[in-house]
Amino acid sequence: MKHLPGSKTLFILALSLVLLVNAFILIGVWYNRSGLAESVVVLTERELHMPYRWNRDQTSVRIDWRAISSDGDSYSGYSSPAWFDENKLVSLGFEFSDDSATDYKKHFIEAEAVLVLEYDGETYQQAVKHAQKRVLDIEKKLSRLVDDEDLLSDLKRAKENLKHEEQSASRLFVIDAGLDKEALRIQYPDNQRYILAYGIVDVRSTGSYRNNTKPTFTGRIDRLSVQYLYIDNSVYSNIDKLKPSLQYSRNENSPRFSLAVHYGQKLEPWIDSSSFALLNNSISR
Amino acid sequence: MDIHSKLEAQGRVDQVLAFQSELSFLEQHELLILDDAQNTRLQSYHAQLLTSLQKSYDVDLNSNEKQLTMGMKIASFIGALGLAASLFFLFYQFWDKFALLSQVAILVATPVLGLMATYFISIKETTGYYAKLMALVTLSGFVLNLVMLGSIFNITPSPNAFFVWAVLAFFLAYSTDNRLLLAAGIFSIAFFISARVGVWGGLYWLNLGERPENFFVAALILFWVPAFSHTRYAGFDSIYRVLAMVLFFIPVLVLSHWGSGSYLDFDRNVIEGVYQAAGFFFSGLLIWLGIKRGWLDVVNTGNVFFVLFLYTKMFDWWWEIMPKYVFFLLVGLFAILLLTIFKRLKNSLGESA
């Protein structure tokens, strides 16, 4: 091939680019992990989900988070948490005008925000109480209508839900969002209970503009920016040893392991492999 | 005549071969007979020229060679895809065997070694196929490098990755005269620019498709890149212009049927009408510009989109209200009308040439 003029320079530039980009990334990783971690929380299998099909190519676990929706039920997506109202959306940079309802209905408008995740705190206790209350309410109704089959099956489901809530549901709840991580940390100072992490939020509008009713806007948490956490060889083999019942199922098991998850200066997480610990059922809750 | 690229060299060879064939025909029919001295001088000049071009640019001197070249191009493309896929699965297969430091070292070393290999192969080989193949593998290695570092260190995703992939693709495309890498670079940079425009418009970067107008800035920039001299590179200017037109006309086509996707604050029907008119106007304008500048690629792409706009409009107007046989009859008649117009256009181009 006739050597193209300037191609040597281009190769040198290409080489510099590859090295510089890698250096930039690795310096970013070093900076994120330098100094004291922004937050450190010991999560269990309840919050760190394995994929449905576990195999030897597995390199990550998924962070399972929830939030309390406006009707009091906890959820993992699709509806809006009670605290995520129009004022909160405005504080995250969303703008609302008369045409906003149409706009937000037709477009998928997302934004990145700093989310506050509470681990095993008040919000989780609220979720447990809510599940307990449901059981009590149905039992009360059943005391009047003893053989009502619908109520009996509702009671069965409510009890299963309570067991799930107490034994295996994630205790990690998104409880707030903002743009200023320092301000949020001042508001939620306990960095072993409150994680600050980037996440993606969007807008839901309710009320029909056709009926001239003023629409109301609520926010929804779509996902964490980093939803999957990389696990290295040692963590992989430790989890792999938990065979044969690798799949962590709803209501069936208590969590079997715990891991310390650190969030650094850039709010990017990592798992401390040496923190892997097996749990027995008595200490799982 | 200065020759800067393989494409130009091949053009010159084709010109010489056509001349030799025509000369032989003229001599057979005794319309033109060169004397021995002229013949010898001509043959010696052509032989020297063809040898020099073949040595420098690996041009094809007959149709068999051309077919073989096409086969080599296909084999090189498949080889690059195969090697890139193999690299990808190799990483995943043995990934868990390596410690973190080794993983990082492997990821960084892959594109670095790939680049070095590409450079040395490009110096040593005459055809350029192996260098192009290696360049494609290098880009795949770099994509894998950043994706996997992001995954290992749980890094927040960012559109900037597309920028650096684009820059490396451009460096490799220009240093190995590789059109496939140029196209990869163009798509990456278009994604990056459009994502940035979307962010300025209030969108999260991954939602760039919510407002198709985000692609217009990238299309405009890319269309005029070949205004800077690209004569050294075979067909690069066409690729810029054609892909820029695709990046412009597809959003126009989408917006002509989905007005609410626009940034414009007008009634949906007005916006759709504006984009339908814009589709016809700009495809017509680009056909005219292509004819004026002699850009055949622009003329052809303009034609394709003009016809696409026309047929989608015909579908909107008539599909529901007409019997299907009348609709397809009209489609056929329009095709004949277009053929007549293109034939006249071709004749006028022939006359002006």
Side-chain angles (χ1 to χ4, degrees):
Chain A
M1 185 173 82
K2 185 169 170 88
H3 208 54
L4 291 162
S7 65
K8 190 176 177 182
T9 317
L10 288 175
F11 275 116
I12 293 169
L13 285 171
L15 194 64
S16 316
L17 175 83
V18 170
L19 294 173
L20 277 174
V21 169
N22 275 291
F24 183 78
I25 292 171
L26 294 174
I27 289 170
V29 171
W30 169 80
Y31 169 71
N32 182 54
R33 298 183 182 191
S34 62
L36 286 174
E38 211 287 327
S39 51
V40 185
V41 177
V42 179
L43 301 179
T44 69
E45 195 176 5
R46 292 172 73 157
E47 292 77 33
L48 298 172
H49 271 206
M50 285 179 279
Y52 290 111
R53 281 168 187 268
W54 178 266
N55 56 47
R56 61 190 299 275
D57 295 338
Q58 197 51 53
T59 54
S60 61
V61 286
R62 181 172 56 83
I63 302 175
D64 190 29
W65 54 269
R66 300 195 290 161
I68 295 272
S69 62
S70 41
D71 58 7
D73 279 333
S74 64
Y75 84 104
S76 297
Y78 306 111
S79 56
S80 299
W83 53 267
F84 210 165
D85 57 10
E86 197 170 320
N87 291 334
K88 180 56 72 180
L89 284 165
V90 170
S91 76
L92 296 179
F94 287 95
E95 287 170 10
F96 299 101
S97 63
D98 293 341
D99 299 329
S100 292
T102 324
D103 219 32
Y104 286 116
K105 271 192 164 69
K106 287 180 180 162
H107 290 283
F108 189 57
I109 299 178
E110 294 181 321
E112 193 170 54
V114 180
L115 304 178
V116 182
L117 293 112
E118 183 190 64
Y119 177 60
D120 200 8
E122 260 178 52
T123 319
Y124 170 63
Q125 293 310 325
Q126 234 176 295
V128 175
K129 273 179 197 159
H130 185 77
Q132 285 168 340
K133 189 173 174 295
R134 250 170 83 182
V135 173
L136 288 174
D137 286 349
I138 297 170
E139 279 174 346
K140 238 184 229 173
K141 279 184 194 169
L142 263 173
S143 62
R144 292 194 299 268
L145 303 158
V146 184
D147 289 330
D148 187 314
E149 281 188 11
D150 288 344
L151 276 178
L152 282 169
S153 85
D154 282 355
L155 183 64
K156 188 173 172 254
R157 273 201 302 274
K159 280 183 172 171
E160 278 172 4
N161 185 53
L162 177 60
K163 191 178 168 195
H164 168 66
E165 197 65 72
E166 287 176 336
Q167 289 197 351
S168 57
S170 168
R171 289 162 293 180
L172 195 59
F173 282 79
V174 180
I175 56 155
D176 202 352
L179 293 176
D180 184 347
K181 62 178 182 179
E182 278 82 20
L184 287 170
R185 183 47 79 204
I186 291 169
Q187 201 180 340
Y188 302 97
D190 184 352
N191 73 347
Q192 292 186 4
R193 185 174 298 281
Y194 297 103
I195 296 170
L196 301 186
Y198 285 108
I200 308 301
V201 298
D202 59 36
V203 181
R204 293 292 154 104
S205 69
T206 53
S208 169
Y209 52 96
R210 280 186 193 147
N211 299 338
N212 289 330
T213 52
K214 195 176 177 296
T216 52
F217 299 100
T218 50
R220 190 187 73 98
I221 301 141
D222 186 65
R223 60 188 183 276
L224 296 180
S225 294
V226 179
Q227 187 91 28
Y228 290 87
L229 298 182
Y230 181 80
I231 49 169
D232 67 10
N233 294 345
S234 61
V235 176
Y236 168 81
S237 20
N238 278 325
I239 294 177
D240 203 38
K241 278 179 205 156
L242 298 173
K243 280 174 180 172
S245 55
L246 268 172
Q247 183 52 55
Y248 181 63
S249 307
R250 181 183 157 98
N251 284 335
E252 286 178 5
N253 301 309
S254 294
R256 293 166 296 176
F257 66 85
S258 70
L259 278 165
V261 177
H262 298 240
Y263 278 77
Q265 314 304 319
K266 291 167 68 187
L267 305 187
E268 285 169 350
W270 74 94
I271 281 176
D272 176 6
S273 309
S274 62
S275 68
F276 183 90
L278 288 171
L279 301 173
N280 60 42
N281 291 351
S282 60
I283 58 164
S284 64
R285 278 203 54 212
Chain B
M1 179 184 169
D2 284 341
I3 289 173
H4 302 290
S5 70
K6 185 174 177 178
L7 198 71
E8 281 180 11
Q10 188 62 57
R12 184 84 181 97
V13 170
D14 292 344
Q15 199 180 13
V16 171
L17 295 177
F19 173 80
Q20 285 175 340
S21 162
E22 180 64 12
L23 184 65
S24 144
F25 179 84
L26 294 174
E27 280 175 346
Q28 270 174 21
H29 292 80
E30 297 183 346
L31 291 164
L32 175 71
I33 295 170
L34 300 178
D35 60 37
D36 286 349
Q38 283 175 319
N39 223 343
T40 314
R41 216 168 45 239
L42 186 68
Q43 278 181 10
S44 147
Y45 166 70
H46 279 165
Q48 203 180 352
L49 178 70
L50 294 179
T51 312
S52 141
L53 289 176
Q54 194 177 31
K55 199 177 163 192
S56 305
Y57 292 99
D58 188 41
V59 286
D60 305 319
L61 298 182
N62 55 50
S63 59
N64 289 344
E65 279 189 19
K66 273 189 181 171
Q67 282 168 359
L68 270 177
T69 300
M70 181 51 75
M72 285 168 76
K73 277 182 184 167
I74 294 167
S76 159
F77 175 66
I78 294 171
L81 287 185
L83 285 175
S86 159
L87 190 71
F88 183 81
F89 288 111
L90 181 80
F91 273 48
Y92 274 98
Q93 181 74 32
F94 298 107
W95 206 230
D96 57 333
K97 304 274 182 287
F98 300 111
L100 181 72
L101 209 63
S102 314
Q103 288 177 341
V104 174
I106 292 169
L107 288 174
V108 179
T110 306
V112 170
L113 293 175
L115 268 171
M116 287 175 172
T118 310
Y119 177 66
F120 287 112
I121 293 170
S122 75
I123 292 172
K124 297 284 176 200
E125 72 156 337
T126 54
T127 60
Y129 293 111
Y130 297 104
K132 285 176 186 177
L133 190 150
M134 202 59 221
L136 273 165
V137 175
T138 303
L139 182 66
S140 313
F142 189 49
V143 172
L144 204 60
N145 172 197
L146 298 199
V147 169
M148 294 201 68
L149 277 187
S151 155
I152 290 174
F153 294 116
N154 309 312
I155 296 169
T156 310
S158 147
N160 298 340
F162 286 89
F163 176 74
V164 288
W165 288 330
V167 175
L168 186 74
F170 284 127
F171 282 154
L172 286 167
Y174 280 87
S175 53
T176 59
D177 198 14
N178 189 330
R179 279 175 282 182
L180 195 60
L181 280 174
L182 183 74
I186 288 172
F187 280 122
S188 295
I189 200 77
F191 186 92
F192 171 75
I193 295 172
S194 308
R196 283 279 161 224
V197 173
V199 171
W200 293 327
L203 295 175
Y204 179 59
W205 67 272
L206 269 173
N207 303 140
L208 72 166
E210 287 293 320
R211 306 281 194 185
E213 283 140 338
N214 290 333
F215 290 92
F216 289 169
V217 177
L220 192 70
I221 294 170
L222 289 165
F223 189 81
W224 292 109
V225 168
F228 301 97
S229 175
H230 272 71
T231 48
R232 283 177 194 166
Y233 305 97
F236 275 32
D237 47 357
S238 295
I239 290 176
Y240 274 111
R241 284 191 291 258
V242 170
L243 293 185
M245 285 172 77
V246 169
L247 286 167
F248 175 75
F249 281 118
I250 288 180
V252 170
L253 194 62
V254 171
L255 288 165
S256 69
H257 294 86
W258 181 50
S260 46
S262 171
Y263 280 111
L264 299 173
D265 192 16
F266 299 121
D267 180 69
R268 200 192 79 183
N269 292 325
V270 175
I271 296 169
E272 287 176 5
V274 166
Y275 277 106
Q276 281 161 18
F280 285 113
F281 174 75
F282 283 107
S283 52
L285 182 76
L286 284 161
I287 293 171
W288 170 81
L289 185 72
I291 293 169
K292 196 163 175 273
R293 298 273 179 107
W295 294 337
L296 196 63
D297 46 279
V298 173
V299 177
N300 289 338
T301 316
N303 276 337
V304 167
F305 279 103
F306 190 86
V307 172
L308 209 57
F309 281 113
L310 192 66
Y311 281 119
T312 49
K313 207 59 232 157
M314 281 167 70
F315 184 83
D316 279 354
W317 286 332
W318 299 327
W319 182 254
E320 293 291 335
I321 57 165
M322 277 183 183
K324 303 300 167 256
Y325 70 93
V326 181
F327 176 80
F328 285 112
L329 177 72
L330 277 171
V331 169
L333 288 176
F334 260 104
I336 293 168
L337 179 71
L338 284 171
L339 271 177
T340 319
I341 294 169
F342 289 145
K343 195 161 179 280
R344 288 201 172 185
L345 215 65
K346 198 176 159 190
N347 289 343
S348 68
L349 275 174
E351 279 164 24
S352 63

